[in-house]
Amino acid sequence: MRRSLFLSLAVLGTSAGAVTLVYGAGGEPVSLDSGTITDGNSATPQMMVYDGLVRFKNGTSDISPSLALKWTSNANATEWTFYLRPGVKFTDGTPFNADAVVYNVNRWWDPAAPGGAKEQSKSFTSWQFIFGGFKGDPGTILKSVRADGQSKVIFTMTRGYAQLPETMATSFFGIASPTAIKKAGAKYGTPVALPVGTGPFIMQEWKTGDRINLIPNKAYWGTKAKYDALVLRFLKDPSARLNELKAGTIDFTTDLNPEQLGAVKADKNLSAVLVPSFNVGMLSLNLGNKYLKNDKVRQAISMAINKKAIVDAFWGDLGVTDASFLPPALKWANSPSVPADYKFDPAAAKKLLADAGYPNGFSLDLWYMPVSRPYFPTPKPIAEAMAADLAAIGIKATLKTEDWAKYLDDRNKSPGFDMYMIGWTGPYASPYNFYNTYYGEEATADNNYGSQKIFDQLRVAAAASTRAAQAKAYAQIHQVTYDANVRLPIVHSRPLAAIRTYVKGWQPGPSSLLPFEDITIDGKK
């Protein structure tokens, strides 16, 4: 009996009598060094340890103060000042101040900075991804960052950039202790040199291939967790996560498959949690193909695919379909003149093909991803459904796939894929991130489509200081993308999470599963 009790406590990583919250994560972090990651398995634990300058309000895509109490910009959004929260310390005792912020930003942005890419042989991928490059790169949005005393940080941009606060709220840019980074060097943010921030939790152990153990930060400036320990277990298989949840060995989990919703609802000890949609799953068409360069052909394809039937079949209540590239949380940026969805009309689609000169149709390749993603949980059957719809109007779609890394690479190599499935989950709450990633000037390699009007309006939106001005620019982009029929939005999915019924207070938002410190587990046995 004593041996069984010892093993139970070892699994939890806590002492007898401790109240522990256990989360079933979809996988292990790649890194916990801010600025180096873009994956969700790294993002969740990262933002337990770190705070950003800005955060998302619980359950929403709206931003609110975090380490910065407020922020202001000049009229054209080329200079931003962040006013920092006083009296905060990193959990290693290092004071949080403007110098610490500048140190972090410089190591992400400037390869030659102390602790930067050259010194530590690291790639700060998320900085490059969000800010268009590093110091000295022609596309970089940041021109400089500097401290003004100990409580103000000033960012100067190369052009107007209204969504800087939103980008600072992402899980990518948690502020780390300069002392800890300097002490650990290139090993910082790994299992042998754990991350140190100002966040609501302190990481105690990262057991590779197994779990992360954390305890609440009792000196945290914000809401303090009401339990004694937090464990993140790495469980890659959704079925394994659901089984452990049903058994009570984990308290909550995310990214279950849509078909598991029935099993969750059937268990009286479980409750389903539907995460707000903040993604798009799409079918992308390549204008380099001789058929797809024809506007009428692309319009015919958009009218031939029964999106609603596909979403009902593969997502049920966990997906919606519409005519917007943007998820529902960003509907404020949609154009009121664009219909609610693409019209499903196979007869009209077949006539369009005839008008385009292809009354007997033609053949194309349709590539589907070999991995499950939140927006396409079962890619091959979904591709088969789309192929069946296209066959009904005379287009023969040959299904193809390949290794995921090769798939992502080959789509951008000439001649590219005729049609392929892809998607996007937004890391921060701005339409700019969705549109620029797939319609911006650097996003034409896979589809050979570029619109100067879109490029121009993206710059207008980026520099606009009010939501009204941004909405006007994005509405024009919405109209152009709808008319172009180049990237056809199929679904905005709602990721499925589930909890034990005693788990209270968890409210995941569109851009973040956090916070976990608000959760209570009264009644856990």
Side-chain angles (χ1 to χ4, degrees):
M1 176 70 181
R2 291 181 64 186
R3 176 174 172 80
S4 297
L5 176 61
F6 175 79
L7 288 174
S8 297
L9 294 175
V11 167
L12 290 177
T14 60
S15 59
V19 179
T20 301
L21 178 67
V22 184
Y23 170 67
E28 186 165 4
V30 175
S31 169
L32 293 179
D33 187 359
S34 288
T36 64
I37 62 99
T38 57
D39 68 294
N41 289 328
S42 299
T44 297
Q46 180 163 290
M47 294 313 289
M48 294 174 182
V49 174
Y50 300 123
D51 291 312
L53 293 178
V54 183
R55 67 187 303 170
F56 295 113
K57 293 180 182 178
N58 292 5
T60 77
S61 57
D62 298 326
I63 57 174
S64 63
S66 184
L67 288 177
L69 290 171
K70 64 177 183 178
W71 44 90
T72 59
S73 75
N74 60 4
N76 60 4
T78 57
E79 184 174 283
W80 286 87
T81 301
F82 288 78
Y83 299 82
L84 305 183
R85 186 180 296 275
V88 176
K89 289 187 177 182
F90 294 96
T91 54
D92 63 359
T94 301
F96 165 75
N97 52 34
D99 290 337
V101 174
V102 171
Y103 176 86
N104 276 264
V105 173
N106 271 329
R107 74 184 289 257
W108 301 329
W109 171 59
D110 183 356
K118 289 182 179 178
E119 179 182 304
Q120 296 193 354
S121 298
K122 291 185 177 181
S123 177
F124 291 97
T125 305
S126 46
W127 179 272
Q128 181 184 35
F129 170 67
I130 296 292
F131 286 92
F134 303 111
K135 185 176 182 179
D137 292 344
T140 182
I141 299 173
L142 182 64
K143 184 176 181 180
S144 67
V145 59
R146 63 182 176 87
D148 183 358
Q150 292 301 297
S151 61
K152 288 195 293 185
V153 177
I154 299 174
F155 292 79
T156 302
M157 319 307 290
T158 59
R159 59 180 183 269
Y161 194 63
Q163 56 274 350
L164 181 62
E166 281 83 359
T167 63
M168 290 292 106
T170 70
S171 56
F172 302 150
F173 304 126
I175 304 300
S177 165
T179 302
I181 294 170
K182 294 171 185 176
K183 180 179 179 181
K187 294 181 179 180
Y188 179 78
T190 70
V192 298
L194 300 177
V196 178
T198 64
F201 295 95
I202 301 171
M203 192 171 295
Q204 291 195 307
E205 185 180 27
W206 177 355
K207 298 179 69 175
T208 302
D210 184 22
R211 70 190 57 225
I212 286 174
N213 294 322
L214 306 101
I215 59 172
N217 176 6
K218 294 182 179 180
Y220 187 51
W221 57 266
T223 300
K224 299 176 180 64
K226 297 178 177 63
Y227 43 87
D228 300 300
L230 173 62
V231 176
L232 312 183
R233 291 185 54 200
F234 313 143
L235 302 168
K236 294 182 180 180
D237 182 29
S239 296
R241 294 201 297 278
L242 181 57
N243 288 338
E244 296 238 16
L245 187 68
K246 291 168 72 70
T249 48
I250 63 175
D251 299 311
F252 66 129
T253 190
T254 55
D255 290 334
L256 297 174
N257 288 331
E259 63 266 23
Q260 293 175 307
L261 178 60
V264 172
K265 289 183 174 180
D267 192 321
K268 67 179 182 179
N269 296 311
L270 306 183
S271 295
V273 177
L274 301 185
V275 179
S277 175
F278 206 62
N279 60 39
V280 60
M282 73 191 91
L283 179 65
S284 188
L285 310 184
N286 183 0
L287 274 65
N289 177 278
K290 66 178 182 179
Y291 304 116
L292 296 177
K293 68 174 58 175
N294 189 304
D295 293 345
K296 290 181 179 180
V297 169
R298 297 196 307 278
Q299 186 179 357
I301 290 173
S302 74
M303 297 175 72
I305 296 175
N306 192 343
K307 294 168 52 183
K308 186 179 187 306
I310 290 173
V311 171
D312 287 346
F314 294 101
W315 288 269
D317 294 334
L318 302 185
V320 297
T321 185
D322 57 30
S324 177
F325 198 72
L326 304 177
L330 298 176
K331 63 182 180 181
W332 59 266
N334 287 336
S335 170
S337 64
V338 171
D341 204 353
Y342 294 82
K343 185 178 181 181
F344 172 60
D345 191 338
K350 195 169 181 63
K351 184 178 184 304
L352 276 170
L353 281 188
D355 292 344
Y358 307 110
N360 300 316
F362 47 81
S363 297
L364 291 173
D365 293 335
L366 196 170
W367 290 76
Y368 64 91
M369 53 188 56
V371 296
S372 176
R373 305 299 297 154
Y375 37 79
F376 284 134
T378 53
K380 185 177 181 180
I382 295 169
E384 290 171 341
M386 289 192 285
D389 287 342
L390 293 175
I393 67 167
I395 297 177
K396 180 183 178 182
T398 301
L399 299 188
K400 292 187 174 183
T401 193
E402 59 185 359
D403 175 76
W404 181 226
K406 188 169 171 44
Y407 183 95
L408 293 175
D409 191 35
D410 286 350
R411 63 180 174 148
N412 290 318
K413 291 181 179 178
S414 182
F417 300 155
D418 295 340
M419 303 182 291
Y420 79 104
M421 294 165 61
I422 197 65
W424 186 248
T425 298
Y428 62 94
S430 172
Y432 184 89
N433 178 247
F434 282 84
Y435 281 131
N436 191 59
T437 301
Y438 280 96
Y439 285 100
E441 294 180 61
E442 303 301 320
T444 63
D446 66 326
N447 65 359
N448 292 283
Y449 171 80
S451 165
Q452 190 60 50
K453 185 170 183 178
I454 292 178
F455 303 157
D456 292 343
Q457 290 305 313
L458 279 171
R459 286 184 174 261
V460 171
S465 58
T466 67
R467 174 167 285 193
Q470 292 176 33
K472 183 177 179 180
Y474 289 129
Q476 295 184 58
I477 295 173
H478 185 197
Q479 184 69 62
V480 174
T481 57
Y482 172 79
D483 293 338
N485 293 298
V486 171
R487 300 197 195 271
L488 304 177
I490 303 297
V491 67
H492 304 293
S493 70
R494 299 196 67 180
L496 173 62
I499 59 175
R500 303 284 296 181
T501 53
Y502 53 74
V503 174
K504 307 294 184 184
W506 183 42
Q507 191 177 10
S511 303
S512 175
L513 297 175
L514 303 178
F516 285 3
E517 62 267 24
D518 290 350
I519 294 174
T520 60
I521 47 176
D522 297 337
K524 179 180 178 180
K525 296 179 181 180

